[in-house]
Amino acid sequence: MPRLRLALAQIDPTVGDLPGNSSLVHGWTSKAAGAGAHVVAFPEMMLTGYPVEDLVFRRSFVAASKRAVDDLAAQLAGDGLGETVVIVGYLDADEAGPRNALAVLHRGTQVATYFKHHLPNYGVFDEDRYFEPGDTLTVIRVGGVDIALTICEDLWQEGGPFAVAAAAKVGLVVNINGSPYELNKDDTRLALVARRAAEARATIAYVNTVGAQDELVFDGDSMVVRPDGSLIARAPQFAEQLMVLDLDLPAAEPVPPVVEDAEMRVVNVLISDSVVAADQPAPAPEIAARVTDEAEVWQALVVGLRDYVRKNGFRGVAVALSGGIDSAVVTAIACDALGPANVTAVSLPSGHSSQHSKDDAEDMARRTGLDYRVEPIQPMVDGFLANMALSGLAVENLQARVRGVIMMAISNQEGPLVLTTGNKSELAVGYSTLYGDSVGAFNPLKDVPKTLVWKLARWRNEEAERRGDVPPIPERSITKPPSAELRPGQLDSDSLPDYEVLDAILAGYVDGDLGRDDLIAAGHDPAVVDRTLRMVDLAEYKRRQSAPGTKISIKAFGRDRRLPITNRFRENPS
């Protein structure tokens, strides 16, 4: 039985950075070759980054992607890495249209190509808009082993490439991915890979990207699974890693089987019938431990913010630190993502700000060591009120908008990216001030319900204590009743249902697309359901103007949930 040394490069590309991404492939291929790997696989659309969205339609971008493949192949060979078989994703196009493609590089040339067969068109994916599907399964023979090549969504659908791979009697299926993170998606993936391994009757090597692109964050979670569904190796989430392992695989038949399939034809490419055995065995495969839900979400939020700031070239971030739970959690995420030296926290007290809130903001600044300053807003609010006759809600919103002006002024003057701090629950029901507390270029909590915000705060403090560090979030910020403090004695509960009740309804209505009758049947109070749904429906215009933020759920506002602003349909017309 031939032994093949495989490397899976779980790394972080940047959309549009063709030279930088090519350099990453070169560097990680060098590491793989140094480890004795015969084959190294990189993620989906590695050379262009993923997703590229409407860049697909720019001919110059497609041409640059194709040139990058040729240049990379030549450079690898010129630097003595040509014997390593490199599998890498890129953007291609032919007479049929754009293609989500995979290239196989060997000895200075592109020796094989595969076009993604199944194109997802749900949730955050619009691939049916961008790409033409492939109708050919490419099988490469390396070291006497037949390897079928597939891309991401090919794994998520029965039939197609994996059924054809079984008929072709391959020993290994390599699946390259740009699979975005969702909470507990790692459990779904493992079961899915096991099903496809059984379907293909072959070992599956699944490699996924890490890092973030706009609202999407990618968690890696690369793995290798045997035909019987047993897990051989698994990489950690949210970390770059080169996973190298030896695989004993079935020898390819001397003559490739004839496959008759109405959906796909098979193209066989011979690269080598044998490979040079490595001098030393590969390290024993490792299976990364899974983490708690809170740890998983926290890592996603940290990576999402870090990559957004880093890849867009900003110099740190600024947060309006009120002493409440949401701004405290955003500040803690920012400190973990960028380091406290790159975080500016601004206390913006008004005449209604409680002393304990001001104290809690200052306390968090001491705990984390970030750049902290105080900018009282009451004189500016008074200036407006001296020239305008405002009362009630208009005065409350004025305070929030003055704060927004100050934060954006700091950003303009000093350069930090302003983070907004509204959570998913508030965003859902429109509990925010447009151009006020909604001001900001990125929102780490955009897809995080309020009840989860509290859980994350407690987890982060417990994690600090476990490591012997100072918990970053003041206990009072977690335990006190939430309030916008825009009028005397104000509490969130004055305007909203209890968050435990609200989040359960929102999970059904927003994430699950349940209607009014379904929610009531699930045990929710009809009056509370009607009130909540009305708030959600009326707030669509606010959400359309909200900052992007990291997606962690099955349905995030923005890319996932797209509803018309002008919309008279109501679940309860009365």
Side-chain angles (χ1 to χ4, degrees), residues 9-31:
Q10 177 175 290
I11 59 176
D12 183 2
T14 299
V15 165
D17 187 7
L18 294 162
N21 296 337
S22 295
S23 179
L24 284 174
V25 173
H26 185 283
W28 288 85
T29 297
S30 180
K31 293 178 183 179

PDB file of all heavy atoms in Angstrom, residues 9-31:
ATOM      1  N   ALA A   9      -2.479  23.181   4.311  1.00  0.00           N
ATOM      2  CA  ALA A   9      -2.063  24.517   4.732  1.00  0.00           C
ATOM      3  C   ALA A   9      -3.285  25.347   5.093  1.00  0.00           C
ATOM      4  O   ALA A   9      -3.963  25.893   4.219  1.00  0.00           O
ATOM      5  CB  ALA A   9      -1.253  25.182   3.630  1.00  0.00           C
ATOM      6  N   GLN A  10      -3.562  25.431   6.370  1.00  0.00           N
ATOM      7  CA  GLN A  10      -4.704  26.178   6.901  1.00  0.00           C
ATOM      8  C   GLN A  10      -4.217  27.597   7.180  1.00  0.00           C
ATOM      9  O   GLN A  10      -3.650  27.872   8.238  1.00  0.00           O
ATOM     10  CB  GLN A  10      -5.205  25.491   8.168  1.00  0.00           C
ATOM     11  CG  GLN A  10      -6.353  26.208   8.874  1.00  0.00           C
ATOM     12  CD  GLN A  10      -6.873  25.418  10.046  1.00  0.00           C
ATOM     13  OE1 GLN A  10      -7.497  24.370   9.887  1.00  0.00           O
ATOM     14  NE2 GLN A  10      -6.628  25.895  11.264  1.00  0.00           N
ATOM     15  N   ILE A  11      -4.412  28.529   6.209  1.00  0.00           N
ATOM     16  CA  ILE A  11      -3.812  29.851   6.333  1.00  0.00           C
ATOM     17  C   ILE A  11      -4.810  30.953   5.988  1.00  0.00           C
ATOM     18  O   ILE A  11      -5.942  30.685   5.601  1.00  0.00           O
ATOM     19  CB  ILE A  11      -2.536  29.972   5.474  1.00  0.00           C
ATOM     20  CG1 ILE A  11      -2.841  29.725   4.001  1.00  0.00           C
ATOM     21  CG2 ILE A  11      -1.477  29.001   5.972  1.00  0.00           C
ATOM     22  CD1 ILE A  11      -1.632  29.924   3.098  1.00  0.00           C
ATOM     23  N   ASP A  12      -4.351  32.203   6.096  1.00  0.00           N
ATOM     24  CA  ASP A  12      -5.222  33.388   6.050  1.00  0.00           C
ATOM     25  C   ASP A  12      -4.858  34.294   4.867  1.00  0.00           C
ATOM     26  O   ASP A  12      -3.971  35.134   4.986  1.00  0.00           O
ATOM     27  CB  ASP A  12      -5.068  34.149   7.368  1.00  0.00           C
ATOM     28  CG  ASP A  12      -5.970  35.369   7.474  1.00  0.00           C
ATOM     29  OD1 ASP A  12      -6.750  35.613   6.539  1.00  0.00           O
ATOM     30  OD2 ASP A  12      -5.891  36.072   8.510  1.00  0.00           O
ATOM     31  N   PRO A  13      -5.536  34.165   3.729  1.00  0.00           N
ATOM     32  CA  PRO A  13      -5.289  35.062   2.593  1.00  0.00           C
ATOM     33  C   PRO A  13      -6.073  36.359   2.740  1.00  0.00           C
ATOM     34  O   PRO A  13      -6.924  36.495   3.615  1.00  0.00           O
ATOM     35  CB  PRO A  13      -5.793  34.253   1.395  1.00  0.00           C
ATOM     36  CG  PRO A  13      -6.911  33.434   1.977  1.00  0.00           C
ATOM     37  CD  PRO A  13      -6.536  33.132   3.406  1.00  0.00           C
ATOM     38  N   THR A  14      -5.791  37.299   1.853  1.00  0.00           N
ATOM     39  CA  THR A  14      -6.494  38.584   1.826  1.00  0.00           C
ATOM     40  C   THR A  14      -7.091  38.792   0.444  1.00  0.00           C
ATOM     41  O   THR A  14      -6.392  38.637  -0.570  1.00  0.00           O
ATOM     42  CB  THR A  14      -5.531  39.737   2.151  1.00  0.00           C
ATOM     43  OG1 THR A  14      -4.994  39.551   3.459  1.00  0.00           O
ATOM     44  CG2 THR A  14      -6.251  41.082   2.093  1.00  0.00           C
ATOM     45  N   VAL A  15      -8.370  39.131   0.395  1.00  0.00           N
ATOM     46  CA  VAL A  15      -9.038  39.330  -0.889  1.00  0.00           C
ATOM     47  C   VAL A  15      -8.322  40.403  -1.703  1.00  0.00           C
ATOM     48  O   VAL A  15      -8.041  41.500  -1.207  1.00  0.00           O
ATOM     49  CB  VAL A  15     -10.517  39.705  -0.686  1.00  0.00           C
ATOM     50  CG1 VAL A  15     -11.122  40.276  -1.967  1.00  0.00           C
ATOM     51  CG2 VAL A  15     -11.323  38.496  -0.229  1.00  0.00           C
ATOM     52  N   GLY A  16      -8.024  40.060  -2.945  1.00  0.00           N
ATOM     53  CA  GLY A  16      -7.417  41.005  -3.875  1.00  0.00           C
ATOM     54  C   GLY A  16      -5.916  41.120  -3.812  1.00  0.00           C
ATOM     55  O   GLY A  16      -5.304  41.720  -4.703  1.00  0.00           O
ATOM     56  N   ASP A  17      -5.289  40.554  -2.786  1.00  0.00           N
ATOM     57  CA  ASP A  17      -3.834  40.673  -2.632  1.00  0.00           C
ATOM     58  C   ASP A  17      -3.147  39.495  -3.318  1.00  0.00           C
ATOM     59  O   ASP A  17      -2.615  38.589  -2.668  1.00  0.00           O
ATOM     60  CB  ASP A  17      -3.472  40.718  -1.150  1.00  0.00           C
ATOM     61  CG  ASP A  17      -1.986  41.003  -0.918  1.00  0.00           C
ATOM     62  OD1 ASP A  17      -1.265  41.293  -1.903  1.00  0.00           O
ATOM     63  OD2 ASP A  17      -1.551  40.928   0.247  1.00  0.00           O
ATOM     64  N   LEU A  18      -3.153  39.501  -4.646  1.00  0.00           N
ATOM     65  CA  LEU A  18      -2.582  38.382  -5.396  1.00  0.00           C
ATOM     66  C   LEU A  18      -1.097  38.182  -5.102  1.00  0.00           C
ATOM     67  O   LEU A  18      -0.668  37.042  -4.860  1.00  0.00           O
ATOM     68  CB  LEU A  18      -2.830  38.585  -6.889  1.00  0.00           C
ATOM     69  CG  LEU A  18      -4.312  38.528  -7.287  1.00  0.00           C
ATOM     70  CD1 LEU A  18      -4.544  39.152  -8.657  1.00  0.00           C
ATOM     71  CD2 LEU A  18      -4.824  37.109  -7.274  1.00  0.00           C
ATOM     72  N   PRO A  19      -0.276  39.240  -5.089  1.00  0.00           N
ATOM     73  CA  PRO A  19       1.145  39.017  -4.751  1.00  0.00           C
ATOM     74  C   PRO A  19       1.334  38.494  -3.334  1.00  0.00           C
ATOM     75  O   PRO A  19       2.142  37.585  -3.100  1.00  0.00           O
ATOM     76  CB  PRO A  19       1.771  40.403  -4.930  1.00  0.00           C
ATOM     77  CG  PRO A  19       0.843  41.153  -5.828  1.00  0.00           C
ATOM     78  CD  PRO A  19      -0.524  40.649  -5.495  1.00  0.00           C
ATOM     79  N   GLY A  20       0.600  39.080  -2.381  1.00  0.00           N
ATOM     80  CA  GLY A  20       0.748  38.629  -1.000  1.00  0.00           C
ATOM     81  C   GLY A  20       0.288  37.198  -0.797  1.00  0.00           C
ATOM     82  O   GLY A  20       0.927  36.416  -0.087  1.00  0.00           O
ATOM     83  N   ASN A  21      -0.822  36.830  -1.426  1.00  0.00           N
ATOM     84  CA  ASN A  21      -1.330  35.464  -1.295  1.00  0.00           C
ATOM     85  C   ASN A  21      -0.394  34.471  -1.971  1.00  0.00           C
ATOM     86  O   ASN A  21      -0.183  33.367  -1.464  1.00  0.00           O
ATOM     87  CB  ASN A  21      -2.739  35.368  -1.879  1.00  0.00           C
ATOM     88  CG  ASN A  21      -3.744  36.217  -1.113  1.00  0.00           C
ATOM     89  OD1 ASN A  21      -3.538  36.540   0.052  1.00  0.00           O
ATOM     90  ND2 ASN A  21      -4.834  36.590  -1.773  1.00  0.00           N
ATOM     91  N   SER A  22       0.155  34.848  -3.117  1.00  0.00           N
ATOM     92  CA  SER A  22       1.121  33.971  -3.795  1.00  0.00           C
ATOM     93  C   SER A  22       2.349  33.765  -2.921  1.00  0.00           C
ATOM     94  O   SER A  22       2.899  32.654  -2.846  1.00  0.00           O
ATOM     95  CB  SER A  22       1.526  34.579  -5.144  1.00  0.00           C
ATOM     96  OG  SER A  22       0.435  34.637  -6.030  1.00  0.00           O
ATOM     97  N   SER A  23       2.779  34.839  -2.259  1.00  0.00           N
ATOM     98  CA  SER A  23       3.925  34.724  -1.356  1.00  0.00           C
ATOM     99  C   SER A  23       3.627  33.777  -0.200  1.00  0.00           C
ATOM    100  O   SER A  23       4.491  32.991   0.228  1.00  0.00           O
ATOM    101  CB  SER A  23       4.298  36.110  -0.823  1.00  0.00           C
ATOM    102  OG  SER A  23       5.383  36.042   0.068  1.00  0.00           O
ATOM    103  N   LEU A  24       2.378  33.827   0.307  1.00  0.00           N
ATOM    104  CA  LEU A  24       1.989  32.892   1.366  1.00  0.00           C
ATOM    105  C   LEU A  24       2.068  31.445   0.874  1.00  0.00           C
ATOM    106  O   LEU A  24       2.587  30.562   1.582  1.00  0.00           O
ATOM    107  CB  LEU A  24       0.561  33.191   1.832  1.00  0.00           C
ATOM    108  CG  LEU A  24       0.348  34.406   2.732  1.00  0.00           C
ATOM    109  CD1 LEU A  24      -1.145  34.619   2.974  1.00  0.00           C
ATOM    110  CD2 LEU A  24       1.073  34.232   4.061  1.00  0.00           C
ATOM    111  N   VAL A  25       1.553  31.192  -0.320  1.00  0.00           N
ATOM    112  CA  VAL A  25       1.592  29.834  -0.875  1.00  0.00           C
ATOM    113  C   VAL A  25       3.041  29.377  -1.020  1.00  0.00           C
ATOM    114  O   VAL A  25       3.391  28.236  -0.681  1.00  0.00           O
ATOM    115  CB  VAL A  25       0.869  29.766  -2.232  1.00  0.00           C
ATOM    116  CG1 VAL A  25       1.065  28.399  -2.880  1.00  0.00           C
ATOM    117  CG2 VAL A  25      -0.623  30.047  -2.051  1.00  0.00           C
ATOM    118  N   HIS A  26       3.885  30.263  -1.518  1.00  0.00           N
ATOM    119  CA  HIS A  26       5.301  29.914  -1.685  1.00  0.00           C
ATOM    120  C   HIS A  26       5.933  29.569  -0.340  1.00  0.00           C
ATOM    121  O   HIS A  26       6.618  28.538  -0.192  1.00  0.00           O
ATOM    122  CB  HIS A  26       6.043  31.079  -2.343  1.00  0.00           C
ATOM    123  CG  HIS A  26       7.467  30.788  -2.675  1.00  0.00           C
ATOM    124  ND1 HIS A  26       8.484  30.778  -1.732  1.00  0.00           N
ATOM    125  CD2 HIS A  26       8.066  30.470  -3.857  1.00  0.00           C
ATOM    126  CE1 HIS A  26       9.632  30.485  -2.308  1.00  0.00           C
ATOM    127  NE2 HIS A  26       9.410  30.288  -3.601  1.00  0.00           N
ATOM    128  N   GLY A  27       5.702  30.421   0.665  1.00  0.00           N
ATOM    129  CA  GLY A  27       6.321  30.184   1.968  1.00  0.00           C
ATOM    130  C   GLY A  27       5.841  28.916   2.640  1.00  0.00           C
ATOM    131  O   GLY A  27       6.647  28.148   3.199  1.00  0.00           O
ATOM    132  N   TRP A  28       4.528  28.653   2.570  1.00  0.00           N
ATOM    133  CA  TRP A  28       4.000  27.446   3.211  1.00  0.00           C
ATOM    134  C   TRP A  28       4.333  26.196   2.402  1.00  0.00           C
ATOM    135  O   TRP A  28       4.483  25.103   2.974  1.00  0.00           O
ATOM    136  CB  TRP A  28       2.505  27.583   3.443  1.00  0.00           C
ATOM    137  CG  TRP A  28       2.180  28.546   4.540  1.00  0.00           C
ATOM    138  CD1 TRP A  28       2.052  29.898   4.431  1.00  0.00           C
ATOM    139  CD2 TRP A  28       1.985  28.251   5.935  1.00  0.00           C
ATOM    140  NE1 TRP A  28       1.766  30.461   5.652  1.00  0.00           N
ATOM    141  CE2 TRP A  28       1.715  29.479   6.586  1.00  0.00           C
ATOM    142  CE3 TRP A  28       1.990  27.080   6.669  1.00  0.00           C
ATOM    143  CZ2 TRP A  28       1.468  29.551   7.959  1.00  0.00           C
ATOM    144  CZ3 TRP A  28       1.727  27.146   8.039  1.00  0.00           C
ATOM    145  CH2 TRP A  28       1.474  28.369   8.661  1.00  0.00           C
ATOM    146  N   THR A  29       4.484  26.329   1.096  1.00  0.00           N
ATOM    147  CA  THR A  29       4.954  25.180   0.294  1.00  0.00           C
ATOM    148  C   THR A  29       6.379  24.828   0.676  1.00  0.00           C
ATOM    149  O   THR A  29       6.743  23.642   0.763  1.00  0.00           O
ATOM    150  CB  THR A  29       4.877  25.504  -1.209  1.00  0.00           C
ATOM    151  OG1 THR A  29       3.507  25.738  -1.569  1.00  0.00           O
ATOM    152  CG2 THR A  29       5.418  24.353  -2.044  1.00  0.00           C
ATOM    153  N   SER A  30       7.201  25.848   0.917  1.00  0.00           N
ATOM    154  CA  SER A  30       8.577  25.598   1.358  1.00  0.00           C
ATOM    155  C   SER A  30       8.594  24.831   2.676  1.00  0.00           C
ATOM    156  O   SER A  30       9.381  23.886   2.864  1.00  0.00           O
ATOM    157  CB  SER A  30       9.320  26.930   1.502  1.00  0.00           C
ATOM    158  OG  SER A  30      10.645  26.722   1.934  1.00  0.00           O
ATOM    159  N   LYS A  31       7.685  25.215   3.606  1.00  0.00           N
ATOM    160  CA  LYS A  31       7.595  24.485   4.872  1.00  0.00           C
ATOM    161  C   LYS A  31       7.140  23.047   4.647  1.00  0.00           C
ATOM    162  O   LYS A  31       7.662  22.113   5.278  1.00  0.00           O
ATOM    163  CB  LYS A  31       6.619  25.188   5.811  1.00  0.00           C
ATOM    164  CG  LYS A  31       7.075  26.553   6.291  1.00  0.00           C
ATOM    165  CD  LYS A  31       6.015  27.189   7.192  1.00  0.00           C
ATOM    166  CE  LYS A  31       6.440  28.587   7.628  1.00  0.00           C
ATOM    167  NZ  LYS A  31       5.422  29.240   8.497  1.00  0.00           N
TER     168      LYS A  31
END
